[in-house]
Amino acid sequence: MKKPIGLITDNPELLLYLDGKLHITVLGGIKLTGFDRLKVTLKLVNTDDKLNVFRHNLDLYNSIQAEQLIEKSADALNIGTREISTAITGLTTSLEQYRSERLEAMKPKQPEKKQLSEAERKAAIAYLKNPDLLGRTKQAIGQSGIVGEETNALIAYLIYTSRTRENPLHLLCLGASGTGKTWLQEKVGELIPEEDKLEITTLSVNAFYYFGKDELKYKLLLLEDMDGAEDVLYPIRELQSKRKISKTVTLKDSKGNPKTITLQVEGPVCISGCTTREQMYEDNANRCILLYMDNSPEQDVKIMDYQRKMSAGLIDRYAEKKVREQLKNVQRLLKPVSVKNPYAPYLQLPEAVFKPRRTMLLLLLFTETITYYHQYQRELKTDEDTGEQYIETTIEDIQAAFSLLETTLLKKSDELNDACRDFFEKLKTYLKEKDTDTFYSKEVRAAFRLSPSSIGRYLYELERMGYIKIAKGSRYKGFEYKIQSWNDLENLANDAQSMVKSILENIQLVTRIPPVTQSLNGLHKMQKISGERPVTHE
């Protein structure tokens, strides 16, 4: 009776292929990576003569090596070359299928979308109709376990909300080691439904290209450490700008013939990452809204107080979890809808902002995202020419966008990077307290507990930019420095605030579009315009 033909995979390190009287063992199994090769170590046995064994190491995709295997094993085992050739072809096909199945099984299972109960649905809708939706969301974020970074967390939450839009926003959390950037990203990520996000610790060079074509579409991608992801910065930028990436690779078929295939991954995708090195990721940072972590002593006190309460069991973890689930349900009820901003022609940026084109785009997209988040409080309108349905931005949305992004816009107007700016502001406060405008680096280094390399870097940058100058001294006895600019940051802030105030005043004067008002129960008063109706969510 003929023995069954097939691949036995009970032991991944010792695969067995049976073909009649020929038994082939794949010693050590196969590598699951590298689709352009199929290297194996084979042990061939003729069951009519089990003491006669033939062993060979080869790449099954190499036709020359495969032909040599067939000829030599046929002579050694006293089996016809045609029989062995058929077995090797069947083995190759079975190993390819086995590799594909293993790789598919190793992929993380995407959580199924949660089906909300009627009570959860009603609670989420009532939440989205809250008259002070942004204020209520900020409060809930604080109640979810995020301490002292509520404004940054609200910005991140809104950015993550944009993942379902055709032009999503992207986020880069900046700060020195230990300032909580990864923690903030992780905690805000917990407010997004599991089925809509993908958390990644590290990525290899080509990792992005091996996702499924639509696997990342409308997803939130959380990169824990951008400092360890230098190799994937280019595909990240391409996903952010072009919303798709592709790569052409050469593979070999079962006969060893080369063939070309194109791997393509499509977005849009919302990308969030953390880094300590703002300058290194300038190209990526220009495509992102930047969040600067609060490293003030007051924030340290808040964090440590929360840690102590957590250790003492004084934090209601169940209440925090309940708030997180509520915010997830709110996200699940947001539906794709177009946004138009009738006030966009009147928006401007401070002249001091670097790379204003991309900054303006980020401001417009962030404003649209705020409108999108308020979709249950906006009327659904229809474009008479195209039939497209959309909701409109209000003046309140613009005010909220400018208010939330005030720090980001200010940083983008500042010549100094964040670390150098923090040092300079602390230095000015220190000197004002001592009622002087001069200092020695040794004195300041001791007062701020900085390393010689750090203070040297800060002083060099400040002197180069003209914020300080050398008053006297030498490199042997030490230099005495003098502050040249005391109010530069205040002037930047005042200019930005004046510009925003002027923009809002101009909008009020030139536009005839009345703002949407809201009643106390969270329902907006409908404008009596033919063909318009509120956004409905079936």
Side-chain angles (χ1 to χ4, degrees), residues 6-25:
L7 183 67
I8 300 174
T9 61
D10 295 341
N11 185 349
E13 296 296 320
L14 206 67
L15 304 174
L16 181 62
Y17 184 79
L18 307 180
D19 188 348
K21 62 182 179 180
L22 183 62
H23 287 196
I24 305 176
T25 304

Side-chain angles (χ1 to χ4, degrees), residues 47-65:
T47 55
D48 292 343
D49 184 8
K50 294 184 178 181
L51 296 179
N52 192 11
V53 177
F54 182 81
R55 297 177 179 85
H56 195 69
N57 181 285
L58 79 158
D59 181 358
L60 290 173
Y61 287 168
N62 188 307
S63 58
I64 296 176
Q65 293 181 15

Side-chain angles (χ1 to χ4, degrees), residues 131-336:
D132 183 22
L133 180 56
L134 290 182
R136 178 68 187 90
T137 303
K138 183 177 180 179
Q139 181 185 19
I141 287 173
Q143 295 169 345
S144 72
I146 297 176
V147 182
E149 289 277 12
E150 288 86 355
T151 298
N152 276 343
L154 177 59
I155 295 173
Y157 183 75
L158 290 169
I159 291 172
Y160 296 170
T161 299
S162 73
R163 71 192 181 280
T164 57
R165 305 194 66 226
E166 288 301 320
N167 292 294
L169 290 158
H170 309 285
L171 180 67
L172 196 58
C173 298
L174 300 167
S177 179
T179 54
K181 54 190 179 299
T182 304
W183 170 84
L184 180 69
Q185 177 177 271
E186 177 186 343
K187 298 298 287 186
V188 179
E190 291 178 357
L191 310 179
I192 303 300
E194 288 77 11
E195 63 269 20
D196 290 348
K197 65 184 177 183
L198 185 62
E199 299 179 68
I200 298 177
T201 303
T202 58
L203 280 168
S204 61
V205 178
N206 295 315
F208 269 115
Y209 298 100
Y210 289 99
F211 282 106
K213 183 178 180 181
D214 297 323
E215 192 173 350
L216 297 181
K217 187 172 283 189
Y218 302 117
K219 292 288 193 298
L220 167 62
L221 192 60
L222 300 170
L223 303 179
E224 184 175 312
D225 185 10
M226 291 286 287
D227 295 347
E230 291 93 339
D231 294 334
V232 295
L233 293 182
Y234 176 73
I236 287 175
R237 288 197 296 270
E238 292 298 289
L239 274 173
Q240 290 171 331
S241 298
K242 298 180 180 179
R243 297 190 290 283
K244 66 179 180 179
I245 55 174
S246 62
K247 183 175 184 177
T248 302
V249 297
T250 302
L251 304 179
K252 293 182 180 179
D253 58 24
S254 59
K255 296 182 180 180
N257 299 318
K259 61 179 181 179
T260 300
I261 65 169
T262 299
L263 306 174
Q264 185 164 310
V265 179
E266 295 187 356
V269 57
C270 173
I271 299 176
S272 177
C274 305
T275 181
T276 60
R277 297 178 285 181
E278 177 180 356
Q279 297 301 321
M280 176 170 286
Y281 304 106
E282 183 177 359
D283 285 344
N284 290 75
N286 289 332
R287 295 166 169 83
C288 302
I289 289 179
L290 308 182
L291 282 190
Y292 296 87
M293 297 301 101
D294 183 358
N295 59 354
S296 66
E298 294 78 14
Q299 174 67 1
D300 292 338
V301 171
K302 292 178 182 178
I303 293 293
M304 290 186 290
D305 182 56
Y306 182 83
Q307 291 170 340
R308 287 190 291 265
K309 290 180 178 178
M310 179 70 72
S311 180
L314 301 177
I315 301 296
D316 190 342
R317 303 295 298 275
Y318 175 76
E320 289 184 348
K321 181 180 179 181
K322 189 175 180 181
V323 172
R324 289 195 293 269
E325 289 301 317
Q326 184 181 37
L327 289 173
K328 288 180 188 178
N329 292 341
V330 164
Q331 290 286 321
R332 291 184 175 107
L333 282 189
L334 293 174
K335 304 297 181 183

Side-chain angles (χ1 to χ4, degrees), residues 44 52-57 64-79 81 84:
L44 289 78
N52 192 11
V53 177
F54 182 81
R55 297 177 179 85
H56 195 69
N57 181 285
I64 296 176
Q65 293 181 15
E67 289 173 3
Q68 291 175 346
L69 167 69
I70 293 169
E71 292 176 2
K72 291 181 179 181
S73 61
D75 291 339
L77 301 176
N78 195 25
I79 300 178
T81 56
I84 292 182

Side-chain angles (χ1 to χ4, degrees), residues 415 458-468:
E415 294 179 308
Y458 295 148
L459 294 180
Y460 170 78
E461 190 70 14
L462 291 171
E463 184 184 1
R464 186 173 70 88
M465 294 289 190
Y467 290 91
I468 63 174

Side-chain angles (χ1 to χ4, degrees), residues 113-122 124-125 325 328-333:
K113 186 171 183 178
K114 177 183 176 181
Q115 297 299 319
L116 300 185
S117 67
E118 189 60 27
E120 290 174 327
R121 180 182 174 84
K122 287 182 179 179
I125 291 176
E325 289 301 317
K328 288 180 188 178
N329 292 341
V330 164
Q331 290 286 321
R332 291 184 175 107
L333 282 189

